Structures are given as C-alpha cells and as structure tokens.
Amino acid sequence: MNNIILIGMPGCGKSTVGVILAKELGYGFVDTDLLICEREKTTLQNIINKKGVTELLRIEGIVGEKLNVSNTVISTGGSMVFSPKAMENLTKNSKCVYINVPLEEIKKRVKNVDTRGIAMEKGENLDTLYHKRTPKYLEYADIIIDVPQNSSIEDVVNEIKTKLSI
C-alpha cells in the first residue's frame, strides 16, 4: 500500500479525518477539492455558478487523473468516483476507504449546500446525491468505515488504521 484514498459524501469528514490520519502515519495529505481551487484560481462554487456542474466534474477528473503522489492520504471530492480514469489512477497501489455516514447525519452536518461547491444538478438534493453516489462508493471501496452517529474523528481514524492493519 502506498496511498490511502478517502471517498464519501460531502460532510462525511474526509478532509478532517485525512489530515489527522496523515499526521499519525507520517504521510503527506492532499485534498483534491483544494487542488481544483488552486488550478482554477477560484472556488468550487464559482466554477459551478459560471461554468456548470459538468465542467467541475471534467476538471475534477483531470486533477484525479494527473495526481502522482506517494505515501499520501488523499481526500477526494465526493463526485470523484464518477471519473473512472481518475479513480483508476488514484487507486493503483492504494487502499480506497469509504467513510460511510448515514444520510440523516450528512443532512445535519451539511448546512451550506448552495454555497459549498457540491457537484449537484438543479433539482438534486442531498437525498438524491446520496442514492446516486453510494453505489459508486461501494464499487471503489477496499474498506468501508461505517460511522455511528456519535463517533469522534479519532474513532474514525482509529477504525481506518485498524482495518488497514496499520
């Protein structure tokens, strides 16, 4: 295993868990959403507002396809799983961890749906995204971390380390 890829819904804790996991393992940390913002010199929400969801997904795919790191925890955008070439690149020599948080908990955590930069078409909401994305998360996951309602970040990090035998 070289990298650890974190996938899951917006609000599941990929970025927060990723930073702590990387620190504990002595790994680097990359957030692909931040790479997109750096590349485009704007926010994810601005990309959606000015260019549309399809363009954000295209850019996200490019970032995922070109990312070349080692000994790194990679927090992906929640929609990265819709780019097969990106996921093929990211998952080679890596373990892919799906942080599975129940939909009701996601709804509690994600209050800024309209400004957060979530790749969501008009008419979609967290419910439709959850049901559309969950099969893709399960498809790519080597390991699934089911997060109970009152879990701490440390609980999630420790569960990942346990399941990866680290």
Side-chain angles (χ1 to χ4, degrees):
M1 176 184 65
N2 196 339
N3 295 319
I4 299 169
I5 314 303
L6 303 179
I7 60 174
M9 284 289 289
C12 75
K14 297 180 299 282
S15 297
T16 307
V17 166
V19 168
I20 294 168
L21 182 62
K23 279 184 179 179
E24 289 193 13
L25 298 178
Y27 275 30
F29 175 75
V30 171
D31 185 320
T32 61
D33 282 348
L34 294 178
L35 293 179
I36 292 167
C37 293
E38 288 174 21
R39 179 185 190 270
E40 297 299 308
K41 298 181 178 27
T42 191
T43 65
L44 299 176
Q45 191 62 51
N46 279 340
I47 296 168
I48 292 169
N49 293 344
K50 293 180 177 161
K51 299 179 181 178
V53 171
T54 302
E55 181 64 6
L56 173 61
L57 294 174
R58 187 187 74 76
I59 295 165
E60 182 176 52
I62 291 168
V63 167
E65 285 175 48
K66 293 186 176 187
L67 189 60
N68 184 13
V69 293
S70 59
N71 298 318
T72 301
V73 176
I74 302 168
S75 171
T76 63
S79 52
M80 184 70 80
V81 291
F82 290 106
S83 177
K85 288 181 182 175
M87 290 304 294
E88 181 182 337
N89 177 51
L90 292 172
T91 58
K92 68 182 179 208
N93 301 317
S94 302
K95 287 291 183 186
C96 188
V97 178
Y98 169 32
I99 302 175
N100 181 23
V101 173
L103 176 58
E104 292 309 312
E105 183 65 19
I106 294 292
K107 288 180 182 180
K108 288 179 192 171
R109 294 181 185 188
V110 180
K111 297 294 184 198
N112 55 343
V113 174
D114 297 330
T115 58
R116 186 171 169 146
I118 299 171
M120 201 162 47
E121 297 289 351
K122 287 195 184 344
E124 289 187 318
N125 57 34
L126 289 174
D127 292 70
T128 55
L129 278 189
Y130 186 87
H131 295 294
K132 184 165 100 174
R133 292 180 178 184
T134 297
K136 296 303 279 183
Y137 297 144
L138 293 170
E139 174 186 336
Y140 286 108
D142 295 309
I143 293 166
I144 299 168
I145 304 298
D146 292 314
V147 181
Q149 187 171 2
N150 295 320
S151 292
S152 70
I153 296 299
E154 290 77 18
D155 292 337
V156 176
V157 169
N158 289 333
E159 182 74 11
I160 292 170
K161 288 169 35 181
T162 297
K163 287 199 173 179
L164 291 175
S165 301
I166 299 174

